[in-house]
Amino acid sequence: MSSSSFRQPSTHHAAPQQQLSALAARIASKKAELDNLKQLREMSGALAMQMQVLEEKIGTLKDGTEAVACVLANWDNVLRSISMASSKPPPCSLPMLALLRSVLLVAIADPLVP
């Protein structure tokens, strides 16, 4: 046997070893990719929950803003009623004063009534 015949079997075994090594590296890469995707899924779920909480808070803020806008829209009427009620009425307008007083009380008690 020559020395070249001893080398041939070792080179034949080297190719499958390289393939196994490349395959192991690819499997490790795919496992790392899977771990990253799992982490991304968890983070996306947490972000979705935070967005839902934010949506609820914005809805509450919107409702509160609408209520404040309604009160402010009626505020001019309230001030006008106070001004009329505080001015000295002529003697014949006492029933009108009582009516203005009741309107003022309703406007203050329920600001959402237009």
Side-chain angles (χ1 to χ4, degrees):
M1 284 182 125
S2 69
S3 63
S4 64
S5 66
F6 286 117
R7 287 185 201 156
Q8 275 186 338
S10 64
T11 57
H12 287 299
H13 291 292
Q17 277 293 18
Q18 287 176 347
Q19 288 177 348
L20 287 176
S21 178
L23 187 58
R26 184 173 168 142
I27 289 172
S29 171
K30 291 296 180 179
K31 282 183 180 180
E33 185 179 350
L34 178 62
D35 289 341
N36 288 336
L37 288 173
K38 286 179 181 179
Q39 185 179 9
L40 180 62
R41 182 177 59 192
E42 289 173 10
M43 294 172 84
S44 296
L47 180 61
M49 300 242 335
Q50 289 175 353
M51 295 301 276
Q52 287 176 345
V53 169
L54 182 61
E55 177 187 13
E56 292 170 6
K57 288 181 180 181
I58 288 175
T60 301
L61 182 62
K62 178 184 165 270
D63 294 343
T65 302
E66 288 173 353
V68 168
C70 190
V71 168
L72 290 176
N74 288 329
W75 198 247
D76 190 42
N77 295 332
V78 170
L79 292 176
R80 195 175 316 124
S81 298
I82 290 172
S83 175
M84 291 173 80
S86 65
S87 66
K88 187 169 180 149
C92 64
S93 68
L94 287 178
M96 180 60 96
L97 180 60
L99 177 63
L100 285 174
R101 183 173 168 222
S102 60
V103 166
L104 177 61
L105 291 174
V106 168
I108 291 172
D110 191 4
L112 297 180
V113 175

